[in-house]
Amino acid sequence: MDVADLGLPVDVPSTALFTDQYELTMLQAALRAGTAERRSVFEVFTRRLPEGRRYGVVAGTGRVLDAVENFRFDAGVLGFLRERNIVDEATLEWLASYRFSGDVWGYPEGEVYFPGSPIMRVEGSFAECVLLETVILSILNHDSAIAAAASRMSSAAGQRPLIEMGARRTHELAAVAASRAAYVGGFASTSDLAAGFRYNIPTVGTSAHAFTLLHDRERDAFQAQVNSLGRNTTLLVDTYDVAEAVRTAVEIAGPELGAVRIDSGDLLLVAHRVRQQLDELGATATKIIVTSDLDEYAIASLAAAPVDAYGVGTQLVTGSGHPTCSMVYKLVARAESADPKAPLVPVAKKSSGGKTSIGGRKWAARRPGADGVAEAEVVGTGTVPAELADRQLLVELVKGGDVVAREPLDVVRDRHTAARANLPLSATQLSRGEPVIPTEYVHGRSGS
């Protein structure tokens, strides 16, 4: 089964209403004014990284492509808009045949980004592009926040695998997206079966404390689990007394016991004691998995502990304190008229409070230093300098309304690993700091 063709796992007729009302009222006004068909360029970027973060991670691109394809105003959606009198009949007629026919360029999913990076560029008529603002931002802001947290956690974990376990800590559909983003950021598996089904992510899971409490004795619970799942299962050992539980687990499963899970207490201290006990009982190959509200700092603090894997939930699916990336979707260039040959004019918002933007269609490249490690994110308009021509970051995602860049999630995951490895070593430090490389702007003619 090709899971990429399953469509969005949401019980709605389309993604067209994943938007704000003003997208449609702007459309109506532009149609009346005769400006709706002006060729336009919108860009997604963020003015700053979350406080203390040194790089961002692009995630959700594949979901954006699905959303654009599913952005359709069917009879039910049009009926809702008509009943609420949200737009007039002329606009409803235009929406009935809506199909995005423009182009989308963007950083490939899994790539890193910095303040000002043109993460995604959407080109077409104003009318067709403006409608996509909210759905694109909702996906990229959420998924990139989760992937950034996952990346920090996977860096802190080193070669030890991470299990995503956050489904019960967020909205049921957000949980599926979070699992996907966590996989992009370096997690190895998920407990969420919907994510496994939709995105082919490896799934894991054995038992909770409720299973132990169900039985008259902890021994009975362990025996039942081993009888059902085999000696290679993972037994949860902190329901009552950890030392007694470990002893019982090895008695029942033998040295072939797959793993024990610790979900409470001083994890550093308990992990050392459990490792010593397992080794003394001959279960030298039995692994130790720790859970219990972990974040990247807790994971880093356990680097010297005899831990084999981490299960992470709440802190991951909430972005470890930063649940959004503050990405925006801004018009940066538009044609002077509806004539397809009309040249593009750079446009930009001018305001106080740090909300200014730079007009013109952007390109981006990452300049390497003498050692081959990235030293600057270069963003510009007009002609790309020759020395950066083969360092450009944006790739074509949608051409003439057709998706041209779908790729397996494992490819995205590997790309992120490579992109992070190409940053200065300080990128993986958990201490607060500025972006690990600066963003430099090169101004030129915007081009047509």
Side-chain angles (χ1 to χ4, degrees):
M1 175 179 61
D2 186 354
V3 294
D5 294 331
L6 291 176
L8 294 178
V10 289
D11 188 20
V12 296
S14 76
T15 55
L17 293 184
F18 289 171
T19 190
D20 291 301
Q21 183 167 320
Y22 77 175
E23 315 291 6
L24 299 187
T25 56
M26 283 191 289
L27 168 64
Q28 176 178 300
L31 287 171
R32 288 191 181 187
T35 53
E37 296 306 317
R38 287 188 176 186
R39 188 159 57 105
S40 300
V41 180
F42 287 81
E43 288 177 352
V44 176
F45 63 93
T46 184
R47 297 182 176 94
R48 64 191 66 83
L49 296 179
E51 183 181 358
R53 296 288 171 88
R54 296 170 183 259
Y55 62 92
V57 181
V58 178
T61 307
R63 297 207 309 119
V64 167
L65 299 181
D66 287 342
V68 170
E69 282 193 334
N70 284 278
F71 207 90
R72 303 283 187 267
F73 292 84
D74 60 21
V77 171
L78 293 170
F80 165 79
L81 297 175
R82 180 177 290 108
E83 177 186 342
R84 296 292 183 92
N85 196 31
I86 291 173
V87 290
D88 60 22
E89 284 297 324
T91 305
L92 290 172
E93 183 178 348
W94 189 92
L95 291 173
S97 59
Y98 178 85
R99 299 290 186 275
F100 180 72
S101 63
D103 303 327
V104 179
W105 289 71
Y107 279 36
E109 190 166 14
E111 184 57 85
V112 296
Y113 70 87
F114 299 91
S117 296
I119 295 163
M120 185 169 287
R121 189 175 74 217
V122 182
E123 303 187 33
S125 70
F126 175 85
E128 64 181 337
C129 294
V130 74
L131 294 180
L132 299 176
E133 175 181 1
T134 302
V135 71
I136 288 177
L137 286 179
S138 67
I139 292 172
L140 293 180
N141 267 313
H142 174 269
D143 290 23
S144 296
I146 306 306
S151 178
R152 285 163 60 87
M153 292 174 187
S154 66
S155 177
Q159 298 302 310
R160 298 171 178 177
L162 291 157
I163 307 164
E164 186 277 312
M165 304 171 65
R168 64 191 63 191
R169 295 292 187 260
T170 188
H171 184 280
E172 66 272 19
L173 298 179
V176 181
S179 181
R180 181 187 184 278
Y183 193 69
V184 170
F187 274 57
S189 58
T190 179
S191 65
D192 190 344
L193 290 177
F197 173 74
R198 175 66 179 86
Y199 297 115
N200 204 28
I201 299 170
T203 59
V204 296
T206 51
S207 68
H209 294 102
F211 186 74
T212 300
L213 296 170
L214 169 68
H215 294 80
D216 296 334
R217 299 183 303 166
E218 189 171 52
R219 174 180 294 274
D220 297 336
F222 287 177
Q223 188 66 66
Q225 185 173 326
V226 170
N227 289 347
S228 175
L229 301 177
R231 296 176 183 273
N232 195 43
T233 191
T234 298
L235 296 175
L236 182 57
V237 296
D238 72 328
T239 306
Y240 305 119
D241 180 84
V242 173
E244 181 61 29
V246 171
R247 186 179 304 107
T248 302
V250 176
E251 285 179 7
I252 291 172
E256 297 86 6
L257 176 61
V260 296
R261 178 162 75 94
I262 307 167
D263 188 51
S264 60
D266 183 336
L267 297 179
L268 179 62
L269 176 63
V270 175
H272 276 288
R273 287 177 175 175
V274 168
R275 180 74 271 160
Q276 180 179 356
Q277 186 179 10
L278 287 170
D279 291 346
E280 290 174 351
L281 293 171
T284 56
T286 299
K287 295 181 179 180
I288 297 174
I289 300 172
V290 295
T291 53
S292 187
D293 207 25
L294 300 176
D295 62 9
E296 59 266 49
Y297 300 101
I299 291 169
S301 73
L302 292 169
V307 172
D308 297 286
Y310 306 92
V312 189
T314 303
Q315 294 301 319
L316 174 67
V317 300
T318 57
S320 195
H322 297 289
T324 182
C325 301
S326 299
M327 293 179 186
V328 294
Y329 183 94
K330 296 297 181 182
L331 181 67
V332 297
R334 51 88 175 166
E336 296 177 325
S337 70
D339 184 343
K341 297 182 180 179
L344 288 174
V345 177
V347 294
K349 175 181 178 180
K350 293 182 180 180
S351 67
S352 60
K355 282 196 170 185
T356 57
S357 56
I358 298 174
R361 181 203 276 133
K362 315 293 190 309
W363 52 263
R366 191 160 299 142
R367 188 176 69 234
D371 57 358
V373 175
E375 69 173 15
E377 189 90 338
V378 185
V379 177
T381 57
T383 303
V384 181
E387 66 272 17
L388 296 175
D390 62 349
R391 299 282 180 176
Q392 294 189 71
L393 292 164
L394 279 79
V395 299
E396 195 168 29
L397 302 171
V398 178
K399 183 176 183 179
D402 296 324
V403 174
V404 296
R406 276 204 175 88
E407 54 190 356
L409 203 54
D410 283 332
V411 171
V412 174
R413 189 169 183 265
D414 290 344
R415 176 182 294 123
H416 175 63
T417 300
R420 188 176 65 190
N422 194 47
L423 296 176
L425 188 60
S426 58
T428 60
Q429 291 179 351
L430 296 181
S431 57
R432 293 182 178 275
E434 297 299 315
V436 70
I437 60 173
T439 302
E440 300 177 359
Y441 293 96
V442 178
H443 300 287
R445 297 180 61 187
S446 65
S448 60

